[in-house]
Amino acid sequence: MSGSDDTTSLWAVTPKPSLGTRIPALLGIGVGMPRLVLLRDAETVLGRGQEATVVLEARGVSREHAKIIMRDGQTATLVDLESRNGTFVNGDRIDLVVLGEGDEIHLGPIASFQFVRRIEDELERASRRVARTRLDALTPREAQVAREVARGGSNKDIAARLGIKPRTVAAHLEHTFAKLDIGSRAELTRLVTEDELTTR
């Protein structure tokens, strides 16, 4: 497995593809999603439970929500595992579908991926481009408050620094937590730090 926590692969037991081989993968396009999932397993289970191959900490995702079955290393079939909130491809709810290049996958209301086939170097560049959009749902002021939280500021400190009232900071954070589907300052700090790393 590669050194990144959010990359799923089998390089340790599977020979690395030759240069130019297109690798099937999922690019995370939702807040908090794994940035890059390489589909090298015969089956990849996506879900909230720790038994899933790829664990998704997102509201509305079932413990075992869906799985992707790989055939011949290239053909990817997405199967819904009787999830509570459904599996959608390009806006349509599915039970089973063969994925095509660029298909957008939604697991419940929050978790989102794009299915692609790219050579290895292109996958890394593409995943970084997607990651840069993770905080785009925030207003400029909400993003400013989020960055201050990531620097360790309290509501009182942030209010003084930005020239607003502490209760206004609290309101911005409440909206931010709802938009990003998170529940703590620690989670917000992680997302902001990840976003800043991918934009360097």
Side-chain angles (χ1 to χ4, degrees):
M1 185 171 291
S2 67
S4 174
D5 289 339
D6 59 2
T7 301
T8 300
S9 66
L10 285 179
W11 295 150
V13 295
T14 304
K16 191 172 181 178
S18 60
L19 184 64
T21 299
R22 291 186 175 275
I23 305 168
L26 300 178
L27 302 180
I29 57 176
V31 172
M33 292 301 96
R35 187 161 55 87
L36 175 62
V37 179
L38 303 181
L39 299 173
R40 300 294 296 170
D41 293 349
E43 290 191 0
T44 298
V45 176
L46 308 170
R48 183 171 45 84
Q50 293 302 311
E51 65 275 15
T53 313
V54 179
V55 178
L56 306 175
E57 298 179 358
R59 176 170 51 85
V61 174
S62 298
R63 294 186 63 82
E64 290 190 351
H65 196 107
K67 68 179 177 181
I68 296 177
I69 302 171
M70 295 301 303
R71 182 168 52 83
D72 302 328
Q74 290 295 316
T75 303
T77 301
L78 177 64
V79 182
D80 180 74
L81 298 177
E82 299 183 351
S83 62
R84 179 174 182 179
N85 292 309
T87 299
F88 299 79
V89 175
N90 301 327
D92 295 325
R93 188 164 185 164
I94 63 95
D95 293 319
L96 181 150
V97 69
V98 175
L99 294 171
E101 178 70 25
D103 279 351
E104 288 196 6
I105 302 166
H106 296 271
L107 309 180
I110 299 295
S112 302
F113 293 94
Q114 183 179 43
F115 176 74
V116 297
R117 295 184 185 88
R118 298 283 192 279
I119 63 173
E120 188 174 1
D121 289 345
E122 289 177 349
L123 278 173
E124 182 62 25
R125 289 194 296 271
S127 68
R128 290 190 179 189
R129 286 196 298 271
V130 169
R132 290 178 189 136
T133 69
R134 289 189 171 186
L135 299 181
D136 284 355
L138 304 183
T139 66
R141 179 62 90 181
E142 288 167 350
Q144 193 174 24
V145 170
R147 287 192 293 271
E148 292 296 336
V149 168
R151 295 186 181 103
S154 66
N155 285 11
K156 185 177 180 180
D157 293 336
I158 295 170
R161 193 170 295 121
L162 300 183
I164 57 179
K165 296 179 179 180
R167 68 171 177 267
T168 304
V169 174
H172 284 312
L173 286 176
E174 182 179 352
H175 295 155
T176 295
F177 285 5
K179 287 181 179 180
L180 302 183
D181 191 38
I182 58 177
S184 71
R185 297 170 87 95
E187 290 178 278
L188 180 58
T189 297
R190 178 181 63 81
L191 290 177
V192 171
T193 301
E194 180 183 69
D195 184 77
E196 289 177 346
L197 287 173
T198 59
T199 55
R200 289 178 181 174

